[in-house]
Amino acid sequence: MHLPEPVVPESLVPAVLRLLRAAAPYASAEAARAEVRALDVRPHAYGPPRRLRRGVTVTASRVAGVPVHTVAPADGPPRVRVLYAHGGGWVHEISRWHWALVAQLAAEARAAVTVPVYRLLPHGSAREAVDLAAGLVERLSAAGDEVVLAGDSAGGQIALSTALHLRDRGGRGLRTVLVSPALDLTVANPRIPDVAPSDPWLGVDGVRWLAQAWAGDLRLRDPRVSPLEGDMAGLGPMLLLTGTRDILNPDAHLLAERARAAGVDVTLLEHEGGLHVYPLLPTRSGAQARRRIVEALRG
């Protein structure tokens, strides 16, 4: 039996974020640079918690030198395969909230969820992460199974960039599930300054510095870096979740508009007052969003 997680009142989440100084790495270019240096010296653990969720199994391997975990239902074959790219600003490792979502998808959607622990800054790059994810999708789909690409925040960028990359290589349009994705790494949307004062988590200057570092040898407007620059035609159905108190929210609307104009079936779920990656948070709105993701994968 899976015990219900504690529910935090949504109104308290900004105060908790301030207490944890969650916004500090994104406050300025200098703060972002310092976070990269600090985590390069003292990286955080990335493996799944010892006590995950009952009813799932966890296996691990290495692909191209990178740890890859797969969380799957324990009582039978999966109905769908998912490649999940975690968020964290391209500098933070996968967290227990990510693992909780992955385990929920495995148990409730009967999904085999593959999670690459891709290299972060200062060693990783957009090119490397997309190549890794694309190779994993090709492995997973070799038996003819459908693979859904999913990710949150920085991982949403990787997921959508990978979907575009595989489409350009002649692959079939993949379904995507994108949670508060980073879409335009120039951070140039003219609506962002209107949203920024209400976002207690992300800051423009820090995100912009991290994005430039993540681009590596690619242009910021390369679709492998900024997927909003890509042609959306030929992609599979897209589930897009975003909150209005998130500087990435304006680009989510642009993505929905451009994808629909290209003939993509887009479901946009916008939570009024929702924070960045709100579906990962232990709130009622987060729980509702997670159920919608489960339903989409079952569908």
Side-chain angles (χ1 to χ4, degrees):
M1 178 180 178
H2 175 63
L3 296 177
E5 64 184 40
V7 175
V8 176
E10 197 156 3
S11 60
L12 295 182
V13 174
V16 173
L17 292 175
R18 285 192 294 271
L19 183 65
L20 296 175
R21 302 188 71 249
Y26 310 105
S28 67
E30 293 75 14
R33 188 182 297 111
E35 186 79 352
V36 170
R37 286 198 301 263
L39 290 175
D40 186 34
V41 176
R42 294 186 175 87
H44 292 168
Y46 57 75
R50 289 185 179 180
R51 297 180 62 187
L52 199 51
R53 177 175 178 142
R54 292 183 182 179
V56 301
T57 62
V58 182
T59 57
S61 62
R62 279 190 176 269
V63 176
V66 173
V68 176
H69 295 79
T70 298
V71 183
D75 58 352
R79 294 177 180 170
V80 64
R81 297 189 181 276
V82 177
L83 182 78
Y84 192 92
H86 72 85
W90 310 285
V91 64
H92 295 117
E93 292 287 8
I94 185 170
S95 73
R96 66 188 183 99
W97 303 114
H98 294 111
W99 285 119
L101 173 60
V102 166
Q104 182 174 355
L105 300 183
E108 297 180 14
R110 297 198 60 79
V113 188
T114 296
V115 183
V117 185
Y118 58 92
R119 292 185 180 92
L120 302 172
L121 292 172
H123 307 289
S125 69
R127 182 194 294 274
E128 181 182 295
V130 170
D131 285 347
L132 172 67
L136 286 169
V137 170
E138 289 172 340
R139 287 187 181 206
L140 293 171
S141 58
D145 294 338
E146 179 194 14
V147 180
V148 178
L149 271 163
D152 68 280
S153 192
Q157 174 264 312
I158 294 169
L160 184 55
S161 290
T162 301
L164 294 170
H165 183 60
L166 288 168
R167 187 276 319 274
D168 290 345
R169 285 166 51 174
R172 63 183 178 182
L174 296 175
R175 280 200 288 159
T176 52
V177 176
L178 307 172
V179 176
S180 304
L183 297 167
D184 177 1
L185 271 63
T186 68
V187 199
N189 191 306
R191 287 191 52 227
I192 289 176
D194 297 330
V195 179
S198 69
D199 187 339
W201 203 332
L202 299 181
V204 172
D205 291 342
V207 169
R208 186 173 283 142
W209 185 91
L210 291 165
Q212 184 66 64
W214 183 245
D217 64 347
L218 299 175
R219 296 177 299 106
L220 274 175
R221 294 192 180 278
D222 189 301
R224 289 168 291 180
V225 179
S226 295
L228 193 59
E229 294 292 327
D231 178 4
M232 304 297 154
L235 294 184
M238 178 184 299
L239 174 62
L240 177 58
L241 300 99
T242 181
T244 59
R245 296 181 63 183
D246 180 357
I247 63 171
L248 305 184
N249 173 265
D251 285 340
H253 284 272
L254 281 181
L255 173 61
E257 292 169 9
R258 294 179 185 180
R260 285 169 177 157
V264 178
D265 178 8
V266 179
T267 300
L268 173 63
L269 299 180
E270 181 177 66
H271 176 38
E272 184 67 35
L275 303 183
H276 182 59
V277 297
Y278 79 91
L280 271 68
L281 302 178
T283 60
R284 293 191 187 281
S285 62
Q288 291 170 356
R290 291 190 292 278
R291 286 195 291 271
R292 291 296 298 272
I293 296 172
V294 168
E295 290 169 4
L297 292 179
R298 284 175 175 169

